[in-house]
């Protein structure tokens, strides 16, 4: 089936309809916001407007010709084709799979794989964990730096490469001006990190996947941060580094392109009963990054679940 990014869904009980019934959520949720950058998004007026914001929320300090070339190359963002595996042909169902330890021993793999689309990100190790996390990947979300870090630090945990199936598409989250230059150099098959093997390796990984690579729109990144993830961390000394986690960003992406969303492996109230990650060999506590606000994210998932906008997997 086709997943229409323009939200032309006929699903009678889509999450967009449910969101419109909530006084709280209908003021925050913009169902028709541009999620991905597309070829038609580069104009002189757009360049001037987005130059006001630093990446990932705009194009400040990014070279004009770099942005122009990257956007002119991007694939058509109107729709993506994928096999329909849902029992409900009217509604697009999506599973967003985090890497939380709550999934270890969960036996959720088969349920996850029954969704039309499956989102994963970061060190999404699959081989050997299929029973708990499934085996399909429709969208893999990443930043250039996280791929390098995961390939360097998580190989022993089972992450030996990014998901690479016929149905897999890739969602790039530009963190800084460097990410746009990385995309530009990817097009030219050049290494933006001279002499650094890992940088060249990441470019090689995506070199044959250009027609399946999508880039989140700066407006979307700014919208979810300012409306859904307005953290107290923004008042601290590291305010400029704060951003929603990749998992949170992917879950919000799914909320804007799917009709029904189920979230697995995300932080819940009982997170401390489980290891930090499902691929941990021994139980380890969850590591909290000062660049993210996992407790704010946890509270948002709980609230969206209570409104039945998402179904959050809880394990008791």
């Amino acid at each position: 089936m086709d997943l229409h990014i323009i939200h032309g869904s006929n699903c009678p009980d889509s999450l967009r309809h449910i969101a419109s019934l909530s006084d709280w959520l209908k003021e925050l949720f913009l169902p028709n916001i541009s999620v991905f950058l597309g070829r038609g998004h580069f104009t002189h007026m757009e360049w001037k407007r987005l130059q006001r914001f630093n990446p990932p929320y705009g194009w400040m300090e990014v070279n004009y010709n770099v942005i122009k070339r990257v956007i002119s190359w991007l694939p058509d963002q109107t729709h993506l084709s994928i096999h329909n595996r849902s029992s409900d042909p009217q509604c697009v169902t999506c599973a967003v799979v985090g890497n939380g330890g709550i999934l270890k021993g969960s036996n959720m793999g088969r349920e996850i794989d029954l969704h039309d689309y499956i989102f994963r990100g970061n060190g999404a190790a699959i081989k050997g964990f299929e029973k708990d996390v499934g085996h399909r990947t429709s969208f893999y979300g990443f930043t250039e730096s996280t791929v390098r870090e995961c390939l360097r630090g998580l190989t022993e945990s089972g992450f030996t490469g990014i998901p690479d199936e016929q149905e897999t598409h890739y969602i790039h989250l530009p963190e800084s001006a460097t990410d746009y230059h990385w995309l530009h150099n990817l097009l030219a098959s050049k290494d933006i990190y001279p002499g650094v093997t890992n940088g060249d390796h990441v470019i090689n990984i995506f070199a044959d996947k250009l027609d399946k690579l999508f880039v989140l729109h700066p407006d979307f990144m700014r919208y979810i941060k300012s409306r859904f993830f307005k953290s107290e961390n923004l008042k601290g000394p590291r305010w400029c580094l704060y951003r929603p986690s990749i998992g949170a960003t992917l879950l919000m992406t799914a909320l804007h392109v799917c009709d029904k969303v189920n979230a697995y492996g995300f932080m819940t109230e009982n997170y401390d009963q489980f290891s930090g990650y499902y691929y941990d060999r021994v139980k380890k506590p969850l590591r909290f990054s000062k660049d993210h606000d996992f407790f704010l994210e946890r509270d948002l998932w709980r609230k969206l679940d209570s409104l039945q906008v998402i179904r959050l997997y809880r394990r008791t």
Side-chain angles (χ1 to χ4, degrees):
M1 69 179 292
D2 286 343
L3 171 59
H4 292 278
I5 305 303
I6 56 174
H7 316 298
S9 171
N10 295 317
C11 182
D13 55 346
S14 73
L15 62 89
R16 282 174 288 283
H17 172 68
I18 296 171
S20 70
L21 301 178
S22 165
D23 290 337
W24 166 72
L25 192 53
K26 69 182 180 182
E27 297 299 321
L28 297 175
F29 190 74
L30 300 179
N32 295 315
I33 191 170
S34 294
V35 177
F36 301 116
L37 278 170
R39 291 173 185 165
H41 286 140
F42 187 82
T43 64
H44 183 70
M45 185 177 297
E46 278 294 270
W47 167 257
K48 296 287 287 184
R49 181 178 69 85
L50 289 171
Q51 270 281 292
R52 297 161 47 207
F53 307 102
N54 278 313
Y57 314 111
W59 296 331
M60 187 182 292
E61 298 183 357
V62 185
N63 182 277
Y64 174 90
N65 290 324
V66 167
I67 290 292
K68 183 177 181 179
R69 183 177 183 196
V70 167
I71 295 181
S72 67
W73 150 79
L74 289 173
D76 178 11
Q77 309 289 6
T78 303
H79 68 274
L80 302 172
S81 295
I82 199 170
H83 297 296
N84 180 13
R85 303 169 190 263
S86 174
S87 59
D88 186 347
Q90 287 186 298
C91 300
V92 175
T93 63
C94 295
V96 187
V97 185
N99 298 329
I102 194 172
L103 285 176
K104 188 172 185 178
S106 65
N107 294 315
M108 285 290 106
R110 184 175 181 276
E111 179 177 309
I112 289 170
D113 281 337
L114 289 175
H115 292 77
D116 292 323
Y117 289 77
I118 297 152
F119 293 70
R120 305 181 194 270
N122 289 339
I126 295 176
K127 189 174 182 180
F129 303 99
E130 294 90 344
K131 187 175 180 180
D132 294 331
V133 304
H135 73 273
R136 293 178 49 225
T137 303
S138 311
F139 293 97
Y140 174 72
F142 72 99
T143 68
E144 187 273 337
S145 61
T146 57
V147 172
R148 282 190 290 119
E149 291 169 3
C150 291
L151 288 172
R152 183 170 58 237
L154 293 179
T155 54
E156 292 186 359
S157 299
F159 184 78
T160 57
I162 64 171
D164 187 8
E165 305 168 30
Q166 184 175 356
E167 72 170 284
T168 307
H169 290 75
Y170 304 92
I171 301 177
H172 181 51
L173 291 63
E175 288 185 305
S176 67
T178 300
D179 286 83
Y180 285 103
H181 286 275
W182 177 81
L183 284 167
H184 183 273
N185 281 272
L186 172 61
L187 298 179
S189 298
K190 295 179 180 178
D191 186 2
I192 196 171
Y193 302 96
V196 180
T197 304
N198 281 339
D200 182 52
H201 183 45
V202 174
I203 283 181
N204 291 339
I205 289 173
F206 289 97
D208 62 346
K209 300 174 175 58
L210 299 181
D211 61 335
K212 302 174 75 175
L213 183 60
F214 293 79
V215 180
L216 285 184
H217 199 296
D219 285 347
F220 183 73
M221 301 285 283
R222 190 171 62 257
Y223 150 74
I224 64 171
K225 178 182 177 181
S226 63
R227 294 194 176 211
F228 294 94
F229 302 106
K230 191 176 291 185
S231 171
E232 290 296 312
N233 291 359
L234 290 168
K235 300 177 182 178
R238 295 171 60 90
W239 67 269
C240 60
L241 298 177
Y242 167 74
R243 63 194 184 283
S245 67
I246 289 181
T249 302
L250 289 176
L251 184 43
M252 296 305 296
T253 300
L255 288 177
H256 289 77
V257 299
C258 307
D259 294 314
K260 297 182 179 182
V261 173
N262 297 324
Y264 303 83
F266 283 80
M267 188 173 172
T268 56
E269 299 88 340
N270 56 343
Y271 75 93
D272 55 352
Q273 297 179 19
F274 311 101
S275 193
Y277 302 96
Y278 67 77
Y279 44 73
D280 289 336
R281 296 179 184 276
V282 296
K283 185 177 179 181
K284 301 177 183 178
L286 179 63
R287 300 189 301 270
F288 293 98
S289 168
K290 294 182 180 180
D291 296 343
H292 307 308
D293 189 339
F294 289 113
F295 289 103
L296 182 152
E297 294 178 7
R298 178 198 64 182
D299 292 343
L300 177 61
W301 312 145
R302 179 170 55 192
K303 190 163 187 176
L304 292 175
D305 178 73
S306 69
L307 293 172
Q308 298 184 332
V309 173
I310 67 172
R311 183 172 68 86
L312 178 65
Y313 172 69
R314 289 183 171 90
R315 189 169 166 185
T316 56

